[in-house]
């Protein structure tokens, strides 16, 4: 049985520039950067746990903060300021067929 993919928002606050760079590079390979420290990730709960374990060895748990939030299939949100995507470009989630626009 295939594990169900979900949409996740991963955010971090990392104090040390070296650790920050390592986590940022890792997440750029696994997820879509929405802002510098906020990423959109798609995967099962087990996939997310594995990714967070990989991140855990790169951070200092005493001073750094990494969080993952599930994104509901249907959601509403408001945006202010500059978008990370060009004007008129929307973001389609592969997990849900809903359009999420910026």
């Amino acid at each position: 049985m295939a594990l169900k993919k979900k949409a996740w928002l991963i955010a971090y606050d990392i104090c040390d520039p070296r650790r920050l760079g390592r986590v940022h590079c890792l997440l750029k390979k696994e997820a879509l950067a929405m802002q510098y420290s906020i990423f959109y990730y798609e995967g099962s709960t087990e996939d997310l746990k594995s990714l967070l374990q990989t991140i855990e060895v790169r951070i200092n748990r005493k001073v750094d903060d990494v969080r993952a939030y599930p994104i509901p299939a249907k959601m509403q949100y408001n945006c202010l300021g500059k978008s990370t995507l060009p004007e008129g470009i929307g973001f389609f989630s592969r997990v849900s067929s809903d359009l999420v626009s910026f």
Side-chain angles (χ1 to χ4, degrees):
M1 177 173 96
L3 297 174
K4 185 177 178 184
K5 282 191 172 187
K6 299 178 184 178
W8 304 90
L9 192 66
I10 300 174
Y12 61 78
D13 184 9
I14 298 176
C15 299
D16 179 74
R18 187 176 211 168
R19 291 193 309 269
L20 185 143
R22 289 178 180 156
V23 171
H24 186 79
C25 286
L26 172 68
L27 283 172
K28 278 178 51 177
K29 293 176 186 175
E30 300 293 329
L32 176 65
M34 303 306 293
Q35 292 183 348
Y36 187 73
S37 62
I38 300 175
F39 286 79
Y40 174 85
Y41 175 73
E42 289 183 357
S44 68
T45 302
E46 291 303 314
D47 293 337
L48 178 68
K49 286 179 184 177
S50 177
L51 178 60
L52 292 176
Q53 287 172 344
T54 303
I55 292 171
E56 186 174 24
V57 300
R58 291 169 168 77
I59 67 168
N60 179 338
R61 291 182 62 130
K62 293 179 181 178
V63 295
D64 298 332
D65 185 21
V66 178
R67 298 174 185 220
Y69 302 96
I71 301 173
K74 296 197 183 264
M75 62 179 254
Q76 289 184 311
Y77 64 93
N78 297 303
C79 296
L80 297 172
K82 182 181 174 196
S83 172
T84 58
L85 299 174
E87 178 97 18
I89 301 294
F91 179 71
F92 289 92
S93 167
R94 293 183 301 259
V95 171
S96 68
S97 60
D98 299 331
L99 168 66
V100 180
S101 61
F102 297 90

